[in-house]
């Protein structure tokens, strides 16, 4: 124990139990779990089919194929499209490593593209920059993977306008974004990969993911690949894999899906309050929405004093996280061997040093939001006065 006084209020970063308790969904989840246990069918049953139908409808699309994780859905979508050894897929330099790993797992090479200008107030400063796609194109390029990071949709129209004439597939990584772009739901496009990792806006009680697509052939191929390459038991048409969203998770997700829009609305309220209270603080850049309706999976500040801010906030009882502290190309997984252009990826590296995620979520009461705001205001002023 240190001699420091303990802060009066603690704001944890996120706890799914709080979300469930605050919204009364807990008992419904319990009921769903018991129902599945009693029914005795745990894989590829009625719960999976029902959730797939509901989630496709939510996205405004024809097909949903749910699999074992968000990494797997992007991997399987690329695999089903025939992407493999010798191919290249354009990915953002600033993302969670899973976006790159999905490409690498097919044998293809992820080709990173930097985000937009760090001075840009909108989310372009941390999202894939469509203006940089052309420079990343080679004869081996097969697909582009825009990642709707932190719940902010990438500017998709210019991405599509680039991809189409070059015959490239667009595979959206929407693990963090059940959002809208120019009035359209993310997931209403050709092929979008979602994650139901517990901490995502729609989280299971374990791993899960889904591809939502307008393409019946892709959906059919994904159903084959996720189940050992078999449509019928022991009739293996090709070398597939095992990646299935189980009945328990499907039932839990069906219970939670009707709450998702209200939860995202609450995230937006909190983001708006953070934005109005924190804009203009010295040494801090607050995120803004732009052409899109973000769902604020994370609320991410940028500051050259990130580590100092984070320490001060911890002392004030406010837990923060960093998404992500090491740029993917600089991580042990890709360093040295990775597809990093000459001159490196300075924007991704800078973001890794500056980003700071504040607590946000449907469970967070107004009082907690105000505690976070007061703590950030005071930490920012202190950090600024300390100088570089
Ligand atoms: C969470 C996440 C994934 C992977 O999802 P899992 O379900 O954890 O495998 C992929 N991409 C991004 C951007 C993510 O945030």
């Amino acid at each position: 124990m240190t001699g420091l006084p303990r802060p009066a209020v603690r704001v944890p970063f996120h706890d799914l139990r709080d979300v469930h308790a605050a919204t009364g969904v807990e008992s419904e989840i319990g009921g769903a779990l018991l129902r599945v246990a009693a029914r005795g069918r745990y894989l590829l049953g009625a719960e999976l089919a029902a959730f797939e139908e509901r989630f496709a409808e939510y996205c405004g699309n024809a097909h949903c194929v749910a699999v074992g994780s968000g990494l797997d859905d992007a991997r399987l979508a690329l695999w089903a499209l025939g992407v493999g050894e010798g191919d290249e897929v354009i990915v953002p330099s600033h993302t969670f490593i899973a976006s790159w790993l999905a490409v690498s797992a097919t044998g293809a090479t992820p080709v990173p593209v930097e985000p937009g200008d760090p001075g840009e107030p909108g989310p372009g400063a941390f999202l894939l920059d469509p203006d940089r796609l052309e420079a990343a194109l080679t004869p081996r390029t097969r697909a582009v993977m825009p990642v709707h990071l932190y719940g902010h949709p990438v500017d998709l129209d210019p991405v599509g306008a680039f991809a189409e004439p070059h015959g490239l597939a667009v595979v959206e990584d929407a693990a963090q974004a059940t959002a809208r772009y120019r009035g359209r739901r993310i997931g209403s496009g050709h092929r979008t990969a979602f994650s139901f990792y517990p901490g995502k806006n729609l989280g299971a009680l374990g791993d899960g993911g889904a591809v939502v697509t307008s393409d019946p052939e892709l959906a059919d191929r994904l159903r084959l690949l996720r189940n050992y390459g078999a449509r019928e038991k022991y009739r293996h048409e090709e070398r597939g894999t095992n990646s299935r969203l189980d009945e328990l998770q499907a039932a839990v997700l069906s219970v939670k899906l009707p709450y998702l829009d209200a939860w995202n609305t609450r995230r937006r309220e909190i983001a708006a309050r953070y934005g109005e209270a924190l804009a203009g603080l010295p040494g801090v850049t607050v995120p803004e929405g732009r052409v899109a309706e973000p769902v604020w999976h994370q609320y991410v500040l940028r500051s050259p004093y990130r580590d100092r801010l984070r320490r001060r906030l911890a002392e004030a009882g406010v837990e923060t996280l960093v998404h992500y502290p090491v740029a993917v190309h600089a991580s042990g997984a890709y360093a040295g061997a990775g597809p990093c252009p000459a001159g490196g990826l300075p924007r991704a590296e800078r973001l890794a040093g500056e980003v700071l995620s504040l607590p946000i979520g449907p469970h967070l009461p107004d009082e907690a939001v105000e505690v976070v705001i007061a703590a950030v205001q005071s930490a920012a002023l202190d950090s600024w006065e300390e100088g570089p």
Side-chain angles (χ1 to χ4, degrees), residues 69-71 95-96 98-99 147 149 173 175-176 195-197 200 207-208 324:
S69 74
L71 168 61
T95 182
F96 180 53
S99 319
V147 180
L149 200 68
D173 178 343
Q176 304 189 359
S195 163
F196 308 122
Y197 172 82
K200 300 288 157 75
D207 277 315
Y324 301 88

Side-chain angles (χ1 to χ4, degrees), residues 258-324:
Y259 294 86
L260 181 58
D261 282 344
W263 289 342
N264 286 340
T265 299
R266 176 62 185 153
R267 285 176 184 269
R268 267 186 222 113
E269 276 171 21
I270 296 170
R273 177 71 193 118
Y274 279 162
E276 84 190 359
L278 302 178
L281 281 178
V284 171
T285 306
V286 300
E288 288 173 24
R290 194 182 43 183
V291 292
E293 202 178 294
V295 288
W296 302 100
H297 174 60
Q298 305 295 356
Y299 189 89
V300 179
L301 304 176
R302 285 176 285 142
S303 172
Y305 314 121
R306 192 266 314 281
D307 293 334
R308 215 184 286 166
L309 269 180
R310 185 158 196 237
R311 227 168 15 247
R312 292 252 155 82
L313 289 170
E315 284 161 17
V318 173
E319 190 187 356
T320 57
L321 290 178
V322 171
H323 300 95
Y324 301 88

Side-chain angles (χ1 to χ4, degrees), residues 76-266:
L76 293 178
L78 291 167
W79 181 4
L81 290 168
V83 173
E85 203 88 38
D87 293 333
E88 294 178 354
V89 177
I90 299 175
V91 295
S93 60
H94 179 64
T95 182
F96 180 53
I97 193 170
S99 319
W100 289 40
L101 289 176
V103 176
S104 298
T106 67
T109 303
V111 174
V113 155
E114 288 269 75
D117 190 328
E120 223 182 278
F126 48 80
L127 296 176
L128 176 134
D129 181 359
D131 291 340
R132 291 170 169 254
L133 292 172
E134 195 77 47
L137 186 72
T138 78
R140 292 164 179 261
T141 311
R142 293 288 315 279
V144 184
M145 187 184 284
V147 180
H148 307 303
L149 200 68
Y150 307 148
H152 289 268
V154 170
D155 199 357
L156 286 172
D157 286 344
V159 173
F162 163 79
E164 208 175 298
H166 294 294
L168 309 178
V170 177
V171 179
E172 296 170 53
D173 178 343
Q176 304 189 359
T178 43
R180 279 179 205 271
Y181 167 80
R182 295 193 191 279
R184 325 196 280 268
R185 280 254 190 225
I186 294 296
S188 61
H190 293 312
R191 41 194 102 65
T192 309
F194 291 93
S195 163
F196 308 122
Y197 172 82
K200 300 288 157 75
N201 289 31
L202 178 62
L205 304 186
D207 277 315
V211 178
V212 175
T213 177
S214 54
D215 177 356
E217 278 169 39
L218 175 64
D220 185 58
R221 189 85 205 290
L222 288 167
R223 287 183 204 286
L224 204 63
L225 289 176
R226 76 173 170 186
N227 190 33
Y228 297 113
R231 232 175 286 266
E232 256 181 89
K233 216 167 190 173
Y234 308 129
R235 304 279 174 214
H236 305 281
E237 297 171 34
E238 64 176 305
R239 295 175 195 171
T241 186
N242 172 9
S243 185
R244 306 171 293 212
L245 184 76
D246 65 64
E247 291 286 285
L248 285 171
Q249 301 305 340
V252 168
L253 290 167
S254 284
V255 164
K256 292 178 75 172
L257 183 58
Y259 294 86
L260 181 58
D261 282 344
W263 289 342
N264 286 340
T265 299
R266 176 62 185 153

Side-chain angles (χ1 to χ4, degrees), residues 9 11 266 364-372:
V9 190
V11 184
R266 176 62 185 153
L364 217 58
D366 289 341
E367 309 83 76
V369 172
E370 296 308 318
V371 167
V372 173

